Amino acid sequence: FLAVMGGLGVLIGLGWTGRGFGAEAAPRVMRLTMVGMVGACLGLVLLGRGLTELAALSQVELLMAAGESSRTALVIAAPLTVILGLSLAVAPIGARAVLTATAPHGGQARVFAAQATFSHTVVILPLMAIGAGTQIAGAGATVGAVGAAGLGLLLALEQWRARTAAGAAPDTILPVPVPAEVALSGD
């Protein structure tokens, strides 16, 4: 059921970006997808531990029954998985839109090739760490660690953006000027 809800989020994200997603909206959308991913990861972890603990601490019969019910967990987990699926579908599209808008016109193929190689190489280390973490600490703790790391990264990026945005509009994407002889030298 949750995989279907995540797939629904992916379909919603692909449908939305396919209907006129532009480069001018990409930085804002990428921030929102990061917030969505971090929020969904932390929400799923808190759902597993927090709902049961809250029900036990409350001593209210209705909450105690809800905390023990798997239906309650599914009702809360379903929107989180939709948000996670939507965020995972939209994030790479936003990143590609920014790259397309800012890459020099004569070297876009090189930029895309370098970006693909770099991102595929860099993703291996976190995947290995997540696999080892899941074996050692379990899935809940690993998803919590991923959510906490994502929150730390999000806060660091927002702090950096706030410091650098003092002189320019934060969501302005400008192409990088490249002299004609540099753009044509490799062709």
Side-chain angles (χ1 to χ4, degrees):
F1 174 74
L2 291 179
V4 171
M5 297 308 288
L8 177 65
V10 168
L11 291 176
I12 292 169
L14 292 176
W16 173 56
T17 55
R19 291 180 175 234
F21 180 80
E24 64 282 347
R28 183 176 46 85
V29 169
M30 286 171 46
R31 281 194 302 278
L32 289 175
T33 59
M34 182 109 179
V35 168
M37 281 188 251
V38 167
C41 282
L42 293 177
L44 288 170
V45 169
L46 292 175
L47 172 67
R49 307 278 302 162
L51 190 62
T52 306
E53 296 296 322
L54 178 67
L57 291 174
S58 71
Q59 297 300 317
V60 175
E61 287 293 323
L62 182 62
L63 286 179
M64 290 174 68
E68 295 172 1
S69 169
S70 62
R71 255 188 271 165
T72 304
L74 281 176
V75 166
I76 297 171
L80 292 174
T81 55
V82 170
I83 291 169
L84 189 61
L86 186 139
S87 297
L88 288 171
V90 172
I93 296 169
R96 183 54 63 109
V98 169
L99 233 104
T100 301
T102 57
H105 293 293
Q108 282 185 345
R110 290 184 196 115
V111 170
F112 290 147
Q115 181 268 336
T117 302
F118 180 73
S119 65
H120 287 46
T121 302
V122 168
V123 81
I124 296 296
L125 294 175
L127 284 175
M128 288 173 43
I130 289 169
T134 302
Q135 283 287 28
I136 295 168
T142 304
V143 171
V146 168
L151 181 61
L153 179 62
L154 177 65
L155 293 174
L157 289 173
E158 285 301 311
Q159 183 180 24
W160 175 77
R161 187 182 72 82
R163 273 195 255 144
T164 58
D171 290 339
T172 301
I173 299 174
L174 299 173
V176 178
V178 177
E181 58 274 359
V182 173
L184 298 176
S185 64
D187 295 332

